[in-house]
Amino acid sequence: MAALDALVRLCPSPADPPPAVDWAQAERALGLALPADYKRLVETYGDGLFDETIWLLVPDSAYVDCDLHAQMTERHEILTDLWEFEDKPAGLQEAGARVVPWAFEEGTGAFLYWLARPGQHPDDWTVLYNEGRGPLWEHHDMGCLAFLLAVLTGTAETEYFGYLYEVLKPTEHRFATADQTLGKTGPPSYGPPPPPPGPAAE
């Protein structure tokens, strides 16, 4: 998959492969099939954070915030309540259309979703960005892997990700696993190394 190869060259994947995912079981639990590019993305990186900005959701993550099933349930409840008072975005006006979260933006409340239309193969799902704390939705006519690559390379036609573009302005792109970022196995790969241990107590 050329897009995945390009992403790994741009943003190296973890040295230790992430835990294997039982995709058949995950899809049964979710009640839907998942796109092939997303599966390759998860198999390469696992749950974690791209450029301190985009968290990738995965099935059966040890962290609720990164767990695809938990976030799918939570976002469904939140959006169902929201759409009792607000109109759905244009892509969701079609009967049977739905959104499925696959990533979220650090510190903003924003989510990245697939737009899943009825009868559409998962590999044809496109991306919807919702700012989370406002009504605006942004549609991108591409899959999740292509969109992620476009965001990291600065070629995505988007009004968002200002922190990444305007603050970080990365010259090197980094991925930190959820364990690294959330403290299970040490500092994030983009952070400074820990200080050397001090002298032993007498």
Side-chain angles (χ1 to χ4, degrees), residues 94-107:
E94 181 181 2
R98 62 189 296 191
V99 290
V100 180
W102 60 271
F104 65 92
E105 188 178 4
E106 168 70 15

Side-chain angles (χ1 to χ4, degrees), residues 59-74:
D60 299 319
S61 171
Y63 305 94
V64 172
D65 285 351
C66 297
D67 182 69
L68 179 63
H69 189 278
Q71 290 303 320
M72 182 175 165
T73 301
E74 180 177 295

Side-chain angles (χ1 to χ4, degrees), residues 14-146:
D16 296 325
V21 175
D22 184 335
W23 291 110
Q25 179 180 335
E27 290 174 331
R28 282 195 300 271
L30 293 167
L32 48 77
L34 294 166
D37 65 339
Y38 167 74
K39 294 178 182 179
R40 293 285 303 279
L41 191 58
V42 169
E43 289 167 353
T44 303
Y45 289 94
D47 51 0
L49 184 61
F50 290 89
D51 280 353
E52 304 179 48
T53 302
I54 300 175
W55 284 93
L56 180 64
L57 304 178
V58 307
D60 299 319
S61 171
Y63 305 94
V64 172
D65 285 351
C66 297
D67 182 69
L68 179 63
H69 189 278
Q71 290 303 320
M72 182 175 165
T73 301
E74 180 177 295
R75 301 314 301 173
H76 174 75
E77 293 172 355
I78 289 171
L79 292 175
T80 297
D81 290 344
L82 176 69
W83 288 331
E84 289 184 5
F85 306 100
E86 295 185 9
D87 291 335
K88 292 181 178 182
L92 289 171
Q93 298 293 345
E94 181 181 2
R98 62 189 296 191
V99 290
V100 180
W102 60 271
F104 65 92
E105 188 178 4
E106 168 70 15
T108 67
F111 266 79
L112 287 162
Y113 298 92
W114 289 292
L115 170 60
R117 301 175 61 194
Q120 190 177 41
H121 192 279
D123 290 349
D124 296 324
W125 291 352
T126 53
V127 170
L128 278 173
Y129 177 99
N130 175 242
E131 61 180 343
R133 294 172 185 158
L136 298 180
W137 292 75
E138 190 180 74
H139 181 251
H140 297 270
D141 192 18
M142 62 185 75
C144 63
L145 177 54

Side-chain angles (χ1 to χ4, degrees), residues 147-179:
F147 180 73
L148 179 59
L149 182 60
V151 169
L152 297 191
T153 56
T155 59
E157 295 182 3
T158 175
E159 297 296 324
Y160 303 102
F161 302 105
Y163 183 75
L164 175 61
Y165 298 145
E166 298 161 16
V167 179
L168 294 179
K169 298 179 181 176
T171 55
E172 293 184 3
H173 298 273
R174 299 182 184 276
F175 177 83
T177 67
D179 280 349

